[in-house]
Amino acid sequence: MPERDAAPGRRDDRSPRRRSGPRAASSTGQASSESSSAPASTSGAPIYGALDLGTNNCRLLMARPNRDGFRVVDSFSRIVRLGEGLSRTGRLDSAAMDRTYDALAHCAERIRRKGVDPSRLSAVATQACRAAENGAEFVARVRDGTGLDLRIIGAEEEARLSVQGCLNLFDPRARAVLVIDVGGGSTELSWLRRDGRDMRTLAWMSAPVGVVSLAERHPEAEAADADAWFEAMVADMTSALKAGGAFREDLDALRRSGPSHLVGTSGAITSLAGIHLNLERYQRDRVDGLWMTRTECDAATRRLRDLGAEGRAAEACIGPNRADLVLAGAAILEAVQRAWPCERVRVADRGLREGLLLERMRADRGPRRRRRRPGS
């Protein structure tokens, strides 16, 4: 694929940003159709890689650092459902591990082709591997078979990295922001407040509820009433939010302290945005950075419920691999919106991988030197 710039620093309107290259890879869960034999950049900057193995997805991003952040060289995403059945058994299923291993082997080959130095590769595994009894065994199998050294990270680091990947999407006028990272097996929330020119994390929590675990606990096929089924999922997530301390008075005071908004990062939320935009195919340049109102989120969710499972599977921004998960993601977002009411949510087709890349690039760059003034 030709190299392309990362998403812009800020887009506070609804118009699509000007593209400097072809559209990004699809977020519908299929492998990117972009070629892995892109021409080398003339900049000579080294390529960095970030691999995120979640409960539902295996995602890879490779990029070169530049002055404004980084320039994407290659990306890959595949739904693997590593955490399928985990909430019932406490273990990773053998078939799930096999298909995940295949995806990781493909990632390892792409990384080798691009010549990414191991010191510039950040590869992490999240909720499924840290919750499963045999999570460490699977990581060892991947290391021995593919050479990928996955690091199982905790929920706090996962939340922090997701925030780092989304910082450019914060409204500069906001006094408070809540970042929601909806995963397959868990949901991380980070509350940030303005401190001068910066946003500082005031609190964070991880709820052991994600789109895969929630959908497994509330099978759509067994639901007699669609509204009652959806509300049951919202109630399930609300209970997890209460248990995690999301209803604290200081957090509500933070929301009331001035302009505030949500940032939602997950395939479920980007799919919701695609439905809202009536996209015939997923377009990252229109979804990433999009502002949606509470009313627009509700309308998109209603449309998804009315479509039914078959109708959702036929939607280009969802597809059969997400048809049973996207409403679980909408239910999680709805529960968060009820707990921390905001009129606006900004959609992020970015998050943990981008946070990993930026963190490693900044570490290699070292502390910035203060520019000396003439005559000093």
Side-chain angles (χ1 to χ4, degrees):
M1 59 173 276
E3 297 183 1
R4 61 176 176 81
D5 288 321
R10 293 189 178 97
R11 281 193 300 128
D12 290 321
D13 52 36
R14 291 176 178 271
S15 59
R17 63 180 169 89
R18 179 179 60 83
R19 294 193 304 272
S20 58
R23 292 186 177 103
S26 168
S27 283
T28 58
Q30 302 301 313
S32 166
S33 60
E34 297 161 338
S35 169
S36 60
S37 57
S41 168
T42 56
S43 69
I47 298 176
Y48 288 73
L51 193 155
D52 169 20
L53 176 61
T55 301
N56 194 47
N57 276 57
C58 174
R59 306 181 72 197
L60 171 68
L61 190 64
M62 290 184 280
R64 299 180 191 271
N66 64 17
R67 184 174 181 179
D68 299 321
F70 56 79
R71 188 172 179 82
V72 175
V73 173
D74 194 17
S75 63
F76 171 83
S77 178
R78 181 182 294 172
I79 288 182
V80 293
R81 297 206 182 205
L82 177 61
E84 191 170 51
L86 175 61
S87 60
R88 294 191 303 269
T89 67
R91 296 181 59 82
L92 300 177
D93 175 76
S94 59
M97 287 189 289
D98 287 346
R99 60 177 175 260
T100 303
Y101 182 93
D102 289 344
L104 289 167
H106 181 77
C107 288
E109 179 57 30
R110 291 177 89 116
I111 291 166
R112 279 192 289 271
R113 277 191 226 152
K114 290 295 181 186
V116 178
D117 189 281
S119 67
R120 297 190 182 99
L121 174 66
S122 299
V124 302
T126 57
Q127 176 64 14
C129 286
R130 66 176 174 247
E133 294 176 8
N134 55 342
E137 295 175 24
F138 178 65
V139 166
R141 172 188 169 189
V142 170
R143 182 179 60 248
D144 294 342
T146 70
L148 291 174
D149 192 8
L150 290 169
R151 180 170 60 92
I152 301 176
I153 61 173
E156 182 173 8
E157 184 175 1
E158 183 176 357
R160 178 181 60 78
L161 288 167
S162 295
V163 168
Q164 288 295 313
C166 295
L167 284 175
N168 290 346
L169 294 182
F170 293 1
D171 187 333
R173 298 162 295 182
R175 298 296 304 167
V177 174
L178 170 56
V179 177
I180 318 153
D181 180 10
V182 184
S186 67
T187 298
E188 280 65 48
L189 295 92
S190 301
W191 289 266
L192 297 99
R193 66 180 174 191
R194 184 159 299 283
D195 181 8
R197 298 178 61 183
D198 299 322
M199 297 293 287
R200 308 286 185 188
T201 299
L202 173 66
W204 75 277
M205 67 162 285
S206 179
V209 178
V211 293
V212 174
S213 54
L214 192 60
E216 287 182 347
R217 290 207 292 261
H218 302 273
E220 184 176 8
E222 298 177 10
D225 181 272
D227 289 341
W229 166 68
F230 184 79
E231 283 300 321
M233 290 194 291
V234 174
D236 198 340
M237 182 62 188
T238 299
S239 296
L241 292 173
K242 288 180 178 177
F247 288 84
R248 286 166 28 185
E249 174 58 33
D250 62 330
L251 297 180
D252 192 53
L254 174 67
R255 178 183 61 83
R256 291 184 277 105
S257 67
S260 59
H261 69 89
L262 309 178
V263 174
T265 170
S266 77
I269 296 175
T270 56
S271 295
L272 201 67
I275 291 297
H276 164 65
L277 292 171
N278 293 309
L279 297 181
E280 293 183 359
R281 63 186 179 86
Y282 186 83
Q283 295 173 251
R284 183 186 185 273
D285 60 340
R286 295 191 61 190
V287 170
D288 184 54
L290 176 74
W291 287 106
M292 291 181 68
T293 65
R294 177 74 183 273
T295 300
E296 289 167 341
C297 290
D298 291 345
T301 298
R302 170 57 65 181
R303 181 179 167 191
L304 287 173
R305 288 155 71 178
D306 292 344
L307 280 171
E310 291 186 5
R312 293 194 298 273
E315 286 287 333
C317 291
I318 301 172
N321 287 327
R322 288 190 189 274
D324 62 335
L325 303 178
V326 66
L327 270 175
I332 291 172
L333 177 61
E334 174 65 20
V336 173
Q337 287 177 314
R338 292 181 189 180
W340 211 71
C342 283
E343 177 56 25
R344 299 187 304 161
V345 57
R346 198 162 201 191
V347 181
D349 187 348
R350 59 176 80 188
L352 193 152
R353 291 182 307 167
E354 287 78 4
L356 284 168
L357 282 176
L358 290 169
E359 186 171 76
R360 181 57 62 88
M361 289 174 182
R362 287 168 184 158
D364 286 357
R365 190 180 300 128
R368 292 185 178 180
R369 295 182 178 179
R370 294 184 64 182
R371 186 176 297 176
R372 295 182 62 183
R373 294 180 180 180
S376 62

